[in-house]
Amino acid sequence: MRLIAIVTDLHLGDDFPRANNVDAAKRWNIIFEDIKKRNVNQIVINGDIGDRPSNFVFFNELQYTGIPFTLTLGNHDFYDEAIKYFYRNNPNNDLELYYAEEDEETLFIYLDSLTGTISKNQYDWLATQLRSPKKIFIFIHHPILPVPTIVDTLYPLTNREEIVNLLFQHTGPITICCGHDHSEHDQTVGNVRQLVTPAASVQIQQDDKEVIIDTTKFGYRLLLLRNNVIQTDVIWFEND
């Protein structure tokens, strides 16, 4: 059994939550305290941590707890800042943070979409990883499958179609865990299930025509892997 907490879009120190009268650090602390009570095996930080000074405080807090954590980079992150605190060997480790970990049954793939695209090096590496017969989990900041939101319309993963086609060629089930949209979404297309985790800062309503900010709630996702079954639940908090 593995219990994973997925946190995304914290935007610590960023102007975006501040302009909407939201204390992003306070919201992260509420989430973090809740996670620490749940005996999770792993925390996945799914991108958009915040400004550079916030990275130092954030990673020191994570390391102090001793809970294992992994990281993907989003479009508001800084590669050179993140690798000061989190480093993994990968085929292109001077430019991007992508890597894989596995246990007896499952392969966990972590992709880097900081630039809003998946590079050719990453794509080729991903294609090799997908030869595995194990169950596949992909953690990436941007959704790979399209989502009916204004964020996905304006700021999509630019080469998603070729990634989607690659995933559909895989014979087994694939679960994508992502963020970016500042909303919750769950969909399955073919062999691919995509779980969009809501933001730890502020939400953006699921509207594909205009940006509608919702500051009243924030949250994170729990992912339980047990006996070949995936259970997931979003933990919501209202105001702070």
Side-chain angles (χ1 to χ4, degrees), residues 47-118:
D48 283 5
I49 297 166
D51 66 4
R52 289 178 181 274
S54 296
N55 275 243
F56 173 79
V57 176
F58 175 76
F59 282 110
N60 275 297
E61 286 180 340
L62 278 179
Q63 292 167 350
Y64 181 77
T65 66
I67 302 172
F69 69 92
T70 47
L71 173 68
T72 67
L73 296 180
N75 50 298
H76 288 276
D77 288 314
F78 307 92
Y79 171 82
D80 61 335
E81 190 70 33
I83 61 169
K84 294 177 184 177
Y85 316 102
F86 183 89
Y87 180 83
R88 289 292 189 279
N89 286 316
N90 64 68
N92 204 26
N93 57 25
D94 289 331
L95 299 171
E96 299 173 301
L97 182 65
Y98 59 90
Y99 55 99
E101 299 177 345
E102 59 187 312
D103 59 26
E104 293 181 358
E105 299 177 346
T106 310
L107 177 64
F108 301 92
I109 297 171
Y110 299 84
L111 298 179
D112 184 335
S113 63
L114 186 152
T115 62
T117 192
I118 297 299

Side-chain angles (χ1 to χ4, degrees), residues 7 9 23 30 53 68 71 73-74 107 116 156-157 159 165 169 173 175 240:
V7 185
D9 297 281
D23 186 335
I30 291 171
L71 173 68
L73 296 180
L107 177 64
L157 187 69
N159 59 339
N165 289 335
Q169 292 172 27
T175 303
D240 49 7

Side-chain angles (χ1 to χ4, degrees), residues 6-24:
I6 303 174
V7 185
T8 188
D9 297 281
L10 300 93
H11 291 281
L12 301 171
D14 285 350
D15 291 336
F16 173 46
R18 189 182 302 115
N20 288 281
N21 298 312
V22 166
D23 186 335

Side-chain angles (χ1 to χ4, degrees), residues 1-237:
M1 183 184 79
R2 184 190 290 239
L3 180 61
I4 302 172
I6 303 174
V7 185
T8 188
D9 297 281
L10 300 93
H11 291 281
L12 301 171
D14 285 350
D15 291 336
F16 173 46
R18 189 182 302 115
N20 288 281
N21 298 312
V22 166
D23 186 335
K26 184 177 180 181
R27 292 191 166 188
W28 157 239
N29 287 334
I30 291 171
I31 288 173
F32 197 30
E33 289 303 315
D34 191 78
I35 288 173
K36 287 187 286 187
K37 297 174 184 176
R38 294 180 182 270
N39 297 316
V40 303
N41 304 108
Q42 178 185 357
I43 301 174
V44 176
I45 307 302
N46 228 12
D48 283 5
I49 297 166
D51 66 4
R52 289 178 181 274
S54 296
N55 275 243
F56 173 79
V57 176
F58 175 76
F59 282 110
N60 275 297
E61 286 180 340
L62 278 179
Q63 292 167 350
Y64 181 77
T65 66
I67 302 172
F69 69 92
T70 47
L71 173 68
T72 67
L73 296 180
N75 50 298
H76 288 276
D77 288 314
F78 307 92
Y79 171 82
D80 61 335
E81 190 70 33
I83 61 169
K84 294 177 184 177
Y85 316 102
F86 183 89
Y87 180 83
R88 289 292 189 279
N89 286 316
N90 64 68
N92 204 26
N93 57 25
D94 289 331
L95 299 171
E96 299 173 301
L97 182 65
Y98 59 90
Y99 55 99
E101 299 177 345
E102 59 187 312
D103 59 26
E104 293 181 358
E105 299 177 346
T106 310
L107 177 64
F108 301 92
I109 297 171
Y110 299 84
L111 298 179
D112 184 335
S113 63
L114 186 152
T115 62
T117 192
I118 297 299
S119 67
K120 185 180 186 305
N121 284 339
Q122 260 195 104
Y123 177 90
D124 292 343
W125 175 85
L126 175 60
T128 300
Q129 296 299 313
L130 291 175
R131 296 172 187 166
S132 172
K134 297 182 177 183
K135 296 192 297 292
I136 302 290
F137 277 79
I138 296 176
F139 295 95
I140 180 174
H141 180 68
H142 289 70
I144 298 177
L145 299 176
V147 183
T149 64
I150 187 64
V151 177
D152 198 67
T153 299
L154 295 175
Y155 310 108
L157 187 69
T158 57
N159 59 339
R160 68 173 10 145
E161 289 186 5
E162 60 180 317
I163 308 301
V164 168
N165 289 335
L166 180 63
L167 300 186
F168 285 166
Q169 292 172 27
H170 186 71
T171 56
I174 296 175
T175 303
I176 301 167
C177 299
C178 56
H180 185 58
D181 280 357
H182 287 246
S183 63
E184 176 191 3
H185 196 259
D186 182 349
Q187 67 175 317
T188 300
V189 181
N191 62 316
V192 179
R193 182 184 185 186
Q194 179 172 272
L195 301 169
V196 182
T197 296
S201 51
V202 302
Q203 309 314 305
I204 298 175
Q205 292 185 21
Q206 290 190 11
D207 187 296
D208 61 359
K209 296 180 176 59
E210 62 178 321
V211 176
I212 304 173
I213 305 295
D214 179 0
T215 64
T216 65
K217 59 184 181 179
F218 57 103
Y220 72 101
R221 182 181 294 278
L222 285 174
L223 190 67
L224 178 63
L225 312 182
R226 179 171 54 189
N227 298 330
N228 293 317
V229 176
I230 301 170
Q231 295 176 255
T232 186
D233 189 25
V234 170
I235 309 302
W236 285 107
F237 303 90

